[in-house]
Amino acid sequence: MDKTFKHVIAVFSGKGGVGKSTVSANIAETFAKQGNNVGLLDVDLHGPNIPKLLGLESVKLEARDNQILPAYYSPNLKVVSIAFMLPTRDTPVIWRGPLKHKAVSQLLNDVDWGELDYLVIDFPPGTGDEILSVSQLVGKDANAVIVTTPQELALLDARKAVMFAKQVEMRIAGIVENMSGLVCPHCGKEINLFKKGGGKKAAEELGVPFLGGIPLDPRIVELSDDGILFVDKYPDSPAAVAFSAVCENLRKRLEEGV
Ligand code: ADP
């Protein structure tokens, strides 16, 4: 079965709760809506959020010709999560490193991904076994996208994530600052709840590209229980426009090295 990944995007963060899964899923769908063939792979073995975000919680994967068939969120977006393979949603996953490596390897190699323009991989927070596995399996072709929030603590963790990516020799596509300011739904003015611009400053300091900021929007939290992605439900909102800008910067970086 032919499988090619033109660009592999590894989305990770130094710590949890910064919106890594939200960013992965909305980036993947933004690329898919532009007509690209996109895969979204959730390797967060301990807290897989992607199925819930995309309304795919009841999916059970089927196989054909020894290949796992992915689920679809939208016509161009194939989705596979480790959660699809667990017996119940609440089953805790207690796997040691080598087993995790095997699972990640299967998710990359034994899924019928077809020919993808972008494979977006959502990792667990931090710098654990799963990223090491992907860096070993995909090698230098993986492009790290590091998600952070503007606060100082999150940025310290993002710095660690950048150092990690450098250590495992993963190409660094850049940093995304999530929860970057809040546009007041009443007056349209911007409120900088967690400050703003820290991601850009950290990127400059570390000598890596800054891909853009995604503002806070309370509707992102509401939607995460509905199984519809934000960029589909509110395509004209400032946050959806910001996702498009991040994707455009990412595309340029991956295709033109800019
Ligand atoms: P992580 O994958 O880093 O743990 P999630 O993507 O699960 O983070 O996001 C954590 C929480 O923050 C979720 O409730 C999500 O809906 C919310 N969230 C993420 N990004 C934004 C944003 N830009 N505006 C508002 N809420 C957000």
Side-chain angles (χ1 to χ4, degrees):
M1 201 80 51
D2 270 353
K3 219 181 318 267
T4 51
F5 308 135
K6 202 163 156 200
H7 300 296
V8 178
I9 300 170
V11 183
F12 60 101
S13 62
K15 61 178 251 182
V18 297
K20 180 182 43 59
S21 299
T22 305
V23 169
S24 312
N26 282 285
I27 282 182
E29 175 62 358
T30 299
F31 277 134
K33 285 208 294 187
Q34 294 168 352
N36 296 294
N37 288 318
V38 185
L40 177 58
L41 171 59
D42 173 19
V43 298
D44 190 344
L45 305 186
H46 299 287
N49 289 334
I50 292 290
K52 187 156 190 274
L53 268 179
L54 277 64
L56 297 172
E57 276 179 299
S58 57
V59 166
K60 282 275 167 269
L61 293 178
E62 287 172 25
R64 193 175 54 209
D65 302 334
N66 285 328
Q67 288 279 297
I68 301 165
L69 301 177
Y72 280 83
Y73 166 75
S74 62
N76 291 336
L77 181 54
K78 295 174 179 165
V79 185
V80 171
S81 167
I82 187 77
F84 295 163
M85 295 166 179
L86 305 177
T88 70
R89 203 168 64 169
D90 303 320
T91 312
V93 182
I94 310 163
W95 286 353
R96 292 184 188 283
L99 253 185
K100 281 191 197 168
H101 184 79
K102 204 165 163 229
V104 171
S105 160
Q106 269 199 336
L107 292 171
L108 281 170
N109 297 313
D110 299 345
V111 169
D112 181 12
W113 291 110
E115 291 182 11
L116 296 181
D117 296 303
Y118 298 96
L119 175 67
V120 179
I121 309 180
D122 185 31
F123 286 96
T127 44
D129 294 326
E130 295 81 355
I131 298 177
L132 271 178
S133 292
V134 168
S135 71
Q136 282 163 15
L137 293 163
V138 182
K140 293 185 177 124
D141 290 336
N143 298 278
V145 167
I146 292 148
V147 181
T148 184
T149 56
Q151 302 99 310
E152 198 55 39
L153 262 181
L155 285 172
L156 278 178
D157 288 310
R159 287 192 177 95
K160 266 192 237 158
V162 169
M163 299 321 277
F164 177 83
K166 284 186 176 167
Q167 250 172 31
V168 297
E169 296 186 6
M170 209 180 253
R171 259 199 314 251
I172 299 176
I175 291 183
V176 174
E177 180 176 291
N178 188 30
M179 309 194 187
S180 175
L182 166 75
V183 181
C184 171
H186 307 293
C187 69
K189 263 200 186 157
E190 203 177 1
I191 308 162
N192 290 328
L193 210 57
F194 299 137
K195 297 198 241 167
K196 199 183 163 181
K200 188 159 190 234
K201 210 173 129 224
E204 276 163 12
E205 262 174 49
L206 292 160
V208 298
F210 179 64
L211 297 171
I214 311 292
L216 271 161
D217 189 320
R219 295 173 299 182
I220 291 184
V221 185
E222 286 160 26
L223 264 192
S224 58
D225 287 332
D226 291 357
I228 303 169
L229 287 176
F230 185 82
V231 292
D232 288 327
K233 180 93 179 191
Y234 303 106
D236 301 322
S237 63
V241 171
F243 274 119
S244 295
V246 165
C247 282
E248 183 51 17
N249 286 335
L250 192 50
R251 184 196 64 76
K252 276 196 198 139
R253 170 91 182 136
L254 300 185
E255 280 179 14
E256 301 157 21
V258 184

Coordinates of all heavy atoms in Angstrom, one line a residue, residues 30-31 34 243-253 256:
T30 N -7.6 23.3 8.8 CA -7.4 24.5 7.9 C -6.7 24.0 6.6 O -7.1 24.4 5.5 CB -6.6 25.6 8.6 OG1 -7.3 26.0 9.8 CG2 -6.3 26.8 7.8
F31 N -5.7 23.2 6.7 CA -5.0 22.7 5.5 C -5.9 21.9 4.7 O -5.9 21.9 3.5 CB -3.7 21.9 5.9 CG -2.5 22.7 6.2 CD1 -1.7 22.4 7.4 CD2 -2.1 23.7 5.4 CE1 -0.6 23.1 7.6 CE2 -0.9 24.4 5.6 CZ -0.1 24.1 6.8
Q34 N -8.3 23.7 2.5 CA -7.6 24.3 1.4 C -7.5 23.3 0.2 O -6.9 23.7 -0.8 CB -6.3 24.9 1.8 CG -6.4 26.1 2.7 CD -5.0 26.4 3.3 OE1 -4.0 25.7 3.1 NE2 -5.0 27.5 4.1
F243 N -5.5 31.1 12.6 CA -5.1 29.8 12.3 C -4.7 29.7 10.8 O -3.7 29.1 10.4 CB -6.2 28.8 12.5 CG -6.3 28.2 13.9 CD1 -7.4 28.5 14.7 CD2 -5.2 27.5 14.4 CE1 -7.4 28.0 16.0 CE2 -5.2 27.1 15.7 CZ -6.4 27.3 16.5
S244 N -5.4 30.4 9.9 CA -5.0 30.5 8.5 C -3.6 31.1 8.3 O -2.8 30.6 7.5 CB -6.0 31.3 7.7 OG -7.3 30.7 7.7
A245 N -3.4 32.2 9.1 CA -2.1 32.9 9.0 C -1.0 31.9 9.4 O 0.1 31.9 8.8 CB -2.1 34.2 9.8
V246 N -1.2 31.2 10.5 CA -0.2 30.3 11.0 C 0.1 29.2 10.0 O 1.2 28.8 9.7 CB -0.6 29.6 12.4 CG1 0.2 28.4 12.7 CG2 -0.5 30.6 13.5
C247 N -1.0 28.7 9.3 CA -0.8 27.6 8.3 C -0.1 28.2 7.1 O 0.8 27.5 6.5 CB -2.2 27.1 7.8 SG -2.9 26.0 9.0
E248 N -0.3 29.4 6.7 CA 0.4 30.0 5.6 C 1.9 30.2 5.9 O 2.7 29.8 5.1 CB -0.2 31.4 5.2 CG 0.3 32.1 4.0 CD 0.4 31.2 2.8 OE1 -0.2 30.2 2.7 OE2 1.2 31.6 1.9
N249 N 2.2 30.6 7.1 CA 3.6 30.7 7.5 C 4.3 29.4 7.6 O 5.4 29.2 7.2 CB 3.7 31.4 8.9 CG 3.5 32.9 8.8 OD1 3.6 33.5 7.8 ND2 3.0 33.5 9.9
L250 N 3.5 28.4 8.0 CA 4.0 27.0 8.1 C 4.3 26.5 6.7 O 5.3 25.9 6.5 CB 3.0 26.2 8.9 CG 3.3 24.8 9.4 CD1 4.6 24.8 10.2 CD2 2.2 24.3 10.3
R251 N 3.3 26.7 5.8 CA 3.5 26.2 4.5 C 4.7 26.7 3.8 O 5.5 26.0 3.2 CB 2.2 26.5 3.6 CG 2.2 26.0 2.2 CD 1.2 26.6 1.3 NE 1.5 28.1 1.1 CZ 2.5 28.5 0.3 NH1 3.2 27.7 -0.4 NH2 2.6 29.8 0.2
K252 N 4.9 28.1 4.0 CA 6.1 28.7 3.4 C 7.3 28.2 3.9 O 8.3 27.9 3.2 CB 6.0 30.2 3.7 CG 5.2 31.0 2.8 CD 5.5 32.5 2.9 CE 4.4 33.4 2.4 NZ 4.2 34.6 3.3
R253 N 7.3 28.0 5.3 CA 8.5 27.5 5.9 C 8.8 26.1 5.4 O 10.0 25.7 5.2 CB 8.2 27.5 7.4 CG 9.2 26.8 8.3 CD 10.3 27.7 8.8 NE 11.2 27.0 9.6 CZ 12.5 27.1 9.5 NH1 13.0 28.0 8.7 NH2 13.3 26.4 10.3
E256 N 9.3 26.4 1.2 CA 10.3 27.3 0.7 C 11.5 27.5 1.6 O 12.4 28.2 1.4 CB 9.7 28.7 0.4 CG 8.5 28.6 -0.6 CD 7.6 29.7 -0.6 OE1 7.9 30.8 0.0 OE2 6.4 29.6 -1.0

